[in-house]
């Protein structure tokens, strides 16, 4: 089952999105497809296409690739975060220093190290996504603050009360019903978008990333 539960935020970082090559001579530079993160609610699902109303109010047709997969998220707690866990945390810098989490995704052990690093993210202006280990180089998991490590660096992130904390969970295409919230890392196309992964809300828990 873990093979079918791919962390959407990692794909959004570009690990599995294919680059497109322009129809110019072979010596020309490769042109990468524009990567977008689609956040919104399902309007309809036809089996190969998801019609989504994005958070920006746009009606977008998302074509699902032949190898597409779907997963969901399940609610977790700050106290579920343990040293040794691999997490994805979207955060914003705080005026007093450090970062404050916008959401936390606890990944299964089999995915430890996937997409490790810290990079810009589009959940909110100036937000970042940090995929890192709460382990080994960790200094503390103290109250609602966690220190994570990646590539020999450390980052301290506070987790304010009310911050969504989730884990990955199974889902099927039957969960793609109108009104459900989705997060879809995708490639922009002239007619909409193409995706290999869909993360869908289930049992009242929505993808917070």
């Amino acid at each position: 089952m873990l093979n079918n539960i791919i962390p959407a935020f990692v794909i959004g970082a570009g690990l599995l999105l294919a680059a497109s090559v322009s129809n110019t001579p072979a010596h020309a530079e490769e042109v990468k497809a524009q990567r977008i993160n689609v956040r919104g609610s399902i309007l309809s699902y036809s089996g190969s296409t998801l019609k989504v109303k994005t958070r920006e109010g746009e009606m977008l047709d998302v074509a699902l690739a032949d190898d597409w997969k779907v997963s969901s998220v399940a609610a977790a707690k700050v106290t579920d975060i343990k040293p040794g866990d691999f997490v994805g945390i979207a955060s914003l810098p705080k005026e007093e220093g450090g970062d404050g989490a916008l959401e936390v995704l606890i990944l299964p052990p089999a995915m430890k190290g996937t997409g490790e690093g810290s990079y810009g993210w589009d959940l909110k202006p100036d937000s970042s996504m940090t995929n890192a280990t709460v382990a080994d180089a960790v200094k503390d998991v103290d109250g609602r603050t966690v220190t994570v490590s990646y590539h020999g660096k450390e980052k301290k992130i506070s987790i304010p009360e009310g911050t969504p904390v989730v884990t990955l969970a199974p889902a099927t295409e039957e969960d793609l019903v109108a009104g459900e919230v989705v997060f879809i890392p995708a490639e922009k196309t002239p007619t909409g978008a193409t995706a290999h992964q869909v993360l869908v809300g289930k049992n009242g828990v929505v993808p917070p990333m």
Side-chain angles (χ1 to χ4, degrees), residues 4-8 68-73 168-172 175-176 183 197-202 207:
N4 293 326
I5 305 177
I6 306 297
W68 76 281
K69 295 178 176 65
V70 59
S71 57
S72 66
V73 290
L168 292 174
T172 69
D175 295 308
L176 300 178
F183 172 85
Q197 305 288 333
V198 177
L199 197 62
V200 62
K202 188 174 179 180

Side-chain angles (χ1 to χ4, degrees), residues 92-101 144-145 156-160:
L92 280 172
K94 301 189 300 181
E95 290 184 4
E96 63 271 27
D99 273 28
R144 301 192 68 89
T145 298
K156 179 171 285 189
I157 304 175
S158 65
I159 305 174

Side-chain angles (χ1 to χ4, degrees), residues 34-63:
Q34 182 182 351
R35 296 161 184 169
I36 58 173
N37 291 324
V38 179
R39 299 175 176 88
S41 57
I42 297 172
L43 294 174
S44 64
Y45 165 57
S46 69
S48 61
T49 302
L50 267 179
K51 186 178 289 292
V52 177
K53 182 178 181 180
T54 70
R55 68 175 182 178
E56 294 79 19
E58 177 186 4
M59 308 302 174
L60 187 69
D61 287 334
V62 180

Side-chain angles (χ1 to χ4, degrees), residues 121-140:
W121 194 239
D122 61 352
L123 183 57
K124 288 188 177 182
D126 301 320
S127 64
S128 62
M129 174 63 74
T130 302
N131 300 338
T133 302
V134 184
D136 303 324
V138 134
K139 299 303 182 186
D140 59 82

